[in-house]
Amino acid sequence: MARTPAPGTRDSILTAAAGLFYEHGVRAVSMAQVVEAAGCGKNLLYRHFPSKAELAAAYLTLVRHERERSVTEALHWSTDPVDRLLALTGEVADMVRRPGYRGCAFRNYLTEFPDEDDEPARVAQAYLADSRAQWDRLVTGIGGNALLADRIWLIVNGLYTGPPGQADVAVEWITELVRAEPGSVISATR
């Protein structure tokens, strides 16, 4: 008779896998490494995650929930549309400056598996689409248009992938764009 896994086993496996996937990339990490890091048996791993793709999708879903919590907290105290946009910019800048930051988990996955149409790719693509839509709503909320949203999204993408030392430049650039005098940058981008 099979034993009942200890409570929290799935979370322990997922936490171990998440650390490995983020540090080394999904492709480079074997299921045997996850078993070793989680301190569980292979059968237990496969009971919770029947395939590496399911484990990668759970990892990206976990990261998405963490990102959503962080963004919600950053936006919680701001009511002014410009302040909300700048709060989100600051939240991303703070994240990329953290020790151990190795890029955006979603962008990393899609870079590793550019032609995949599996569940992890769909999770990553959905997060990026939803994130872009949120930035677009914030830009619209300050009276900006699609061109301004495209410019800000380009800076945000650079913020996620560029050297952490340039985070201040990205924040300053977005601040300049959104705090521009009426009739200058925002109006010029219409």
Side-chain angles (χ1 to χ4, degrees), residues 161-176:
T161 59
Q166 292 183 355
D168 290 338
V169 173
V171 170
E172 288 171 15
W173 199 2
I174 291 174
T175 301
E176 287 174 17

Side-chain angles (χ1 to χ4, degrees), residues 2-24:
R3 292 184 296 169
T4 303
T9 300
R10 182 183 188 284
D11 291 341
S12 296
I13 294 169
L14 183 54
T15 299
L20 290 170
F21 287 164
Y22 188 68
E23 184 174 349
H24 303 289

